[in-house]
Structures are given as structure tokens and as C-alpha cells.
Amino acid sequence: MSRVHPHPNPLPPAGEGVVRPRGSGVSLPRPSGERARGPREALLHGVQVGVRGRRRHPSTQRGFSLLEILVAFAIAAMALGMLYRVSGNNARQIGNLDQHERAMLLAQGLLAAHQTVPAAGLSETGEAAGYAWQLQSHPYPTPTSGASPQAARLHEVVVDVAWSDGTAPRHFELASLRPERKPQPGEVMR
């Protein structure tokens, strides 16, 4: 009598569906008692079928993980920190520009007050509204200075305005050329 050996991969019994793993052309038998489900039947039984036929359980796809939330908070904190730093720098720069503009106006006013320079030159210092200033002049050599006694002599007038910007000392320097004032008849020069 001959013995019949069962085949290692028998065909599924009639009425049962065949499971096909993704990406392979191999068909595997479905476990007995489980029928093939279409998308409608899968929704009725609480299983979601994806676009490619993958089954997903609704309980595994709800909300965000703790790691995702922590990463989102870290990114938001960095963005807010950078925004705070930029706005703080802008406010500080506006204050610096305001102080620089005041120093420039003071230097321009001091130069405007000295349209001519006496032959002895200028050397003045002072303080105004928290700004210390110094005004100095010295003769400015020109090619015509020694050639003609009637030629106007020039002086370079330098105004230096200094102030303190919190922790850093600042200064603004403005220079211009001014003519030497000729003595009027009968005037005594100092």
C-alpha cells in the first residue's frame, strides 16, 4: 500500500480567499475561518483599509506623540527667542541712532557758531546735555599760504563730541575748513 504525503503548500479549501503579501507575486492561503473583506466590510468591523489595501486600526492613528509635541515646542521656543532678540536689538539700535544724531547736531551747531577763526586759533571745551565736546583748530597749509600775504589763511576746525552709551564710550568727530579772520582797522586781536 502506498502512503500519500501531504504537500507542504496545499491549495486553500474552496470558499476561502487568498492573501497576497505586498510587493510579491506569491499567494498565501488565508487562515481558516477568515474570509476576505472588502473595504465596506472592513469599515463595519472597525478596520480601516488604506489606499493600497493595508489595514490600519483607528486607535493607532490618533493625535501626536509626546516626542512630536516636544519637538514642536522646542522649535516654537527657538523662533520666539530669535524674534525677541531681533526686536531688542532694533530698540537698542534706535536708541543708539538717536544719541548719535544729537551728537551730530551739537557738532554742527558748534561749527556754525565759528564761521571765522582768529589768528591764534581756537581751543574750547564744554558739556551740554550729557555730551562732552572739544573744539580745536590749527592752520591748514595751502599752496598759496606763503605766496601772497593777501591770500586767505585757512584753519582746520575739529569738533569732537563724546558720550557714554551704557557701557561703551562713543564719540563723533566733525571737521571743516574755516577762513582766518582778518583784523579790522582799530580792532585788537586776542
Side-chain angles (χ1 to χ4, degrees), residues 87-110:
S87 64
N89 284 341
N90 287 344
R92 192 174 312 114
Q93 288 296 331
I94 288 172
N96 290 346
L97 287 175
D98 185 46
Q99 290 177 339
H100 193 268
E101 183 180 11
R102 288 180 184 186
M104 185 176 61
L105 288 172
L106 177 61
Q108 287 176 344
L110 288 168

Side-chain angles (χ1 to χ4, degrees), residues 123-138:
S123 179
E124 300 176 9
T125 59
E127 191 171 326
Y131 295 92
W133 56 269
Q134 181 178 16
L135 186 131
Q136 301 246 331
S137 73
H138 56 276

Side-chain angles (χ1 to χ4, degrees), residues 5-178:
H5 293 287
H7 192 275
N9 287 327
L11 292 175
E16 290 186 15
V18 176
V19 177
R20 294 182 185 190
R22 229 172 81 196
S24 72
V26 178
S27 298
L28 299 175
R30 203 176 275 286
S32 61
E34 186 178 328
R35 297 183 359 211
R37 291 185 181 162
R40 261 195 173 147
E41 288 176 336
L43 287 175
L44 290 176
H45 294 287
V47 176
Q48 294 178 349
V49 177
V51 176
R52 295 191 177 190
R54 291 187 310 177
R55 293 180 182 183
R56 293 181 299 186
H57 294 285
S59 63
T60 62
Q61 295 298 319
R62 287 188 188 152
F64 297 104
S65 70
L66 180 60
L67 181 61
E68 291 170 332
I69 291 173
L70 289 175
V71 168
F73 277 137
I75 291 171
M78 286 189 295
L80 287 174
M82 288 174 21
L83 180 67
Y84 176 73
R85 187 175 302 143
V86 166
S87 64
N89 284 341
N90 287 344
R92 192 174 312 114
Q93 288 296 331
I94 288 172
N96 290 346
L97 287 175
D98 185 46
Q99 290 177 339
H100 193 268
E101 183 180 11
R102 288 180 184 186
M104 185 176 61
L105 288 172
L106 177 61
Q108 287 176 344
L110 288 168
L111 272 180
H114 296 88
Q115 292 296 319
T116 59
V117 178
L122 293 170
S123 179
E124 300 176 9
T125 59
E127 191 171 326
Y131 295 92
W133 56 269
Q134 181 178 16
L135 186 131
Q136 301 246 331
S137 73
H138 56 276
Y140 187 78
T142 61
T144 59
S145 295
S148 171
Q150 297 300 326
R153 293 190 185 119
L154 296 177
H155 285 257
E156 182 178 24
V157 179
V158 179
V159 180
D160 188 27
V161 180
W163 71 97
S164 178
D165 180 19
T167 59
R170 307 269 183 197
H171 77 93
F172 175 77
E173 188 174 283
L174 187 61
S176 181
L177 293 177
R178 298 289 192 224

